[in-house]
Amino acid sequence: MEITREQVEHVANLARLNLTEDEKEQMITDMGVIIEFANRINEINIDDINPTAHVIPINNVFREDDVNPSFSRDELLYNAPNKENGCYSVPRIVE
Amino acid sequence: MDLIKMTAHELKDKLETKEISSEEITRAYIDRIDKVEHKVNAYITLTTDKAINKAKEIDIKRANGEQVGALAGIPIAIKDNMCTRGIKTTCASKMLEYFVPPYSATVVEKLNKQDSVILGKLNMDEFAMGSSNENSYFHKTMNPWDLSRVPGGSSGGSAAAVAANEAVFTLGSDTGGSIRQPAHYCGVVGMKPTYGTVSRYGLVAFASSLDQIGPLTKDVKDMALVMNTITGHDKLDSSSYNNEYDDFGKYIGEDIKGKKIALPKEYFSKGVQSEVKEKVLAVARKLEDLGAVVEEVSMNMTDLALPAYYLISSAEASSNLARYDGVKYGFRAKDYDNLVDLYKQTRDEGFGKEVKRRIMLGTYALSSGYYDAYYKKAQQVRTLIKNEFDKVFESYDLILTPTGPSTAFKIGEKINNVVEMYMNDICTVPINIAGVPALSMNCGFDANNMPIGVQFISKAFNEKTILQVAYAYEQNRNLPDLTPQI
């Protein structure tokens, strides 16, 4: 199946990926090949089959609403790429 | 006494009788790592100083007559997608190159509780996406049997470390065959347990409905030992199954007379290397000699498993990997114009090629207009595959197949052919889709002296029977020494 440049750009935007021009070209080819392969599942008619999202019989998982200790702010900020005054730092979004 | 060749259960016996100490074993493994690691490249991070200290601590505990855990003093290693408190957990990605988790995965806690000694974190395909270990950001792991070949993926570091005697056993994760396929390529025992048996808390998620942690070991008895340690319900993982688990080694050593084994012809059809087919069929004959009943069956849905797998796993991956945005932890790009550009630039620079390809495929399959044709349809195919396994297990105890269509290929050989690379997983992905357990173990070698794996599959929560039959085979397989010459 043909994957267009517009589709690649649209999907990359949804996935928040800034693909380079070379990456876009490669993606057009690779996604085309994979989607063509994946289209095998559209060769059979299975409209009346229920989808399975989860294979083991589990539903309604509840836990007690307990208060437990959490991580400290320092522990959580330890891996932050940029932090300021005990907060994550990101570019300004409100002018 | 060659400590590095011994299994966990053999070492455990010697530790208990105080014939050897944990420090001696740990030093023997560290020496081995010093000697071969530069050729194999199985590890990303080594924690050998910590390991020596832990070993000494356990030796003291034992000398004082204190209670020690089931794996006390055994040196092991963990795939680098399981969180280890205070130790880098990179997922073999630039995105997490410097990530140090503030908590440990439940499996790591369980191993610590049983007093095992952790030697380090193992190499893998980035975010567990791959079948060859060529997608690691750091370096490629080599197959210990032939250093010009891949060890398989994505738990290639985990399999290579066991094969090269760089750890007594290791943990890997298996989303579409990532434990069993490298076990096959490296000649070790690898098992993907029933989905929900081992907690996924602290495992960096790839495809949540398919991922399962499992061990890679030197023999079947060790597999039962490690499984007994890592399984059990975990309230921190809501997909963990609340079940009382029996001893996994319960039937080990018992006669397999009358066990019914199915050979699905679709797993032996075109594309399967003739030597692989021949050796796996020889396993079936051996099991017949031991009293099992082997019959050919047909599983028509097999062909649909691979396309359904790539759609489901990529869709779940695109959602799970949305958390890598350059804000909370991990890599952040240097140049960006605004917040959205920060996300986009970070993700483009931080993820490798295969990861981006799967995020794109998954986002496409979930996007408006394509959801019904791809994602929903793949989940319907999943129902058909699961039903087919259920039906076979109404009449059979086990299914026997090759673990992969071919033995380990050369590094670089398939890297540019996406679909050909994905075909390596054709024998393993249906098992993850159905959620059932499966084990791969060595059953011989091809003309290039590369290991061949046989796969035993059972119905959900029936690992005991897999281990019983695998053990019976292991005791009778008459193979040469399973140590590669490095």
Side-chain angles (χ1 to χ4, degrees), chain B residues 127-351:
Chain B
F127 284 104
M129 297 175 191
S131 317
S132 68
N133 231 282
E134 291 166 289
N135 301 325
S136 167
Y137 171 66
F138 300 102
H139 49 246
K140 291 180 176 62
T141 297
M142 314 299 172
N143 191 313
W145 290 93
D146 175 348
L147 300 172
S148 69
R149 291 175 193 268
V150 302
S154 64
S155 310
S158 304
V162 175
N165 291 325
E166 291 188 82
V168 181
F169 69 82
T170 59
L171 290 188
S173 66
D174 190 315
T175 306
S178 279
I179 289 173
R180 292 158 287 149
Q181 185 254 25
H184 155 53
Y185 285 6
C186 293
V188 301
V189 185
M191 176 144 85
K192 182 203 86 77
T194 307
Y195 183 83
T197 300
V198 180
S199 168
R200 291 183 299 109
Y201 177 75
L203 170 73
V204 180
F206 161 16
S208 311
S209 79
L210 304 161
D211 295 341
Q212 187 63 193
I213 293 171
L216 291 107
T217 62
K218 292 181 187 179
D219 73 357
V220 174
K221 226 170 166 177
D222 272 8
M223 181 57 71
L225 178 67
V226 186
M227 282 293 291
N228 281 340
T229 310
I230 63 170
T231 53
H233 178 248
D234 181 11
K235 63 177 189 217
L236 298 172
D237 171 6
S238 59
S239 65
S240 142
Y241 193 55
N242 201 348
N243 197 2
E244 284 300 315
Y245 293 95
D246 216 353
D247 179 358
F248 286 91
K250 194 174 179 183
Y251 305 131
I252 275 188
E254 279 187 22
D255 186 332
I256 61 161
K257 212 172 219 148
K259 286 272 174 255
K260 289 199 73 186
I261 295 173
L263 284 183
K265 62 179 184 208
E266 289 78 4
Y267 286 76
F268 292 85
S269 60
K270 61 177 189 311
V272 176
Q273 195 180 318
S274 61
E275 291 159 296
V276 170
K277 189 173 168 179
E278 192 188 299
K279 299 285 182 197
V280 174
L281 291 174
V283 177
R285 287 196 297 276
K286 178 66 83 180
L287 295 175
E288 273 182 325
D289 291 347
L290 297 171
V293 180
V294 180
E295 285 170 1
E296 192 176 84
V297 297
S298 178
M299 296 182 82
N300 294 325
M301 294 298 151
T302 306
D303 261 3
L304 293 174
L306 205 56
Y309 167 79
Y310 276 94
L311 290 166
I312 295 168
S313 64
S314 302
E316 292 182 11
S318 73
S319 162
N320 277 325
L321 271 59
R323 66 182 61 133
Y324 302 100
D325 56 6
V327 173
K328 302 176 293 299
Y329 49 85
F331 172 76
R332 177 186 287 195
K334 287 204 168 50
D335 298 317
Y336 43 83
D337 297 332
N338 51 46
L339 186 64
V340 172
D341 197 43
L342 179 154
Y343 300 151
K344 288 184 170 180
Q345 203 52 37
T346 294
R347 289 163 64 78
D348 190 51
E349 290 174 33
F351 289 135

Side-chain angles (χ1 to χ4, degrees), chain B residues 285-438:
Chain B
R285 287 196 297 276
K286 178 66 83 180
L287 295 175
E288 273 182 325
D289 291 347
L290 297 171
V293 180
V294 180
E295 285 170 1
E296 192 176 84
V297 297
S298 178
M299 296 182 82
N300 294 325
M301 294 298 151
T302 306
D303 261 3
L304 293 174
L306 205 56
Y309 167 79
Y310 276 94
L311 290 166
I312 295 168
S313 64
S314 302
E316 292 182 11
S318 73
S319 162
N320 277 325
L321 271 59
R323 66 182 61 133
Y324 302 100
D325 56 6
V327 173
K328 302 176 293 299
Y329 49 85
F331 172 76
R332 177 186 287 195
K334 287 204 168 50
D335 298 317
Y336 43 83
D337 297 332
N338 51 46
L339 186 64
V340 172
D341 197 43
L342 179 154
Y343 300 151
K344 288 184 170 180
Q345 203 52 37
T346 294
R347 289 163 64 78
D348 190 51
E349 290 174 33
F351 289 135
K353 193 173 163 187
E354 182 63 27
V355 173
K356 281 190 259 188
R357 194 149 58 200
R358 299 208 199 191
I359 290 175
M360 288 288 288
L361 177 67
T363 306
Y364 177 79
L366 290 175
S367 66
S368 167
Y370 297 99
Y371 177 87
D372 282 346
Y374 293 114
Y375 187 67
K376 187 179 167 206
K377 192 93 185 230
Q379 300 282 47
Q380 288 171 304
V381 168
R382 186 172 201 172
T383 307
L384 296 177
I385 289 168
K386 189 175 181 302
N387 292 348
E388 192 169 67
F389 273 101
D390 288 347
K391 190 145 190 298
V392 174
F393 290 128
E394 279 172 14
S395 316
Y396 296 90
D397 297 295
L398 288 185
I399 297 172
L400 188 152
T401 73
T403 312
S406 69
T407 55
F409 48 91
K410 296 266 186 188
I411 293 166
E413 192 181 319
K414 297 189 181 181
I415 200 80
N416 292 320
N417 191 329
V418 191
V419 171
E420 202 182 304
M421 187 66 102
Y422 290 178
M423 294 303 272
N424 296 319
D425 302 334
I426 197 157
C427 301
T428 50
V429 296
I431 285 80
N432 301 71
I433 290 193
V436 296

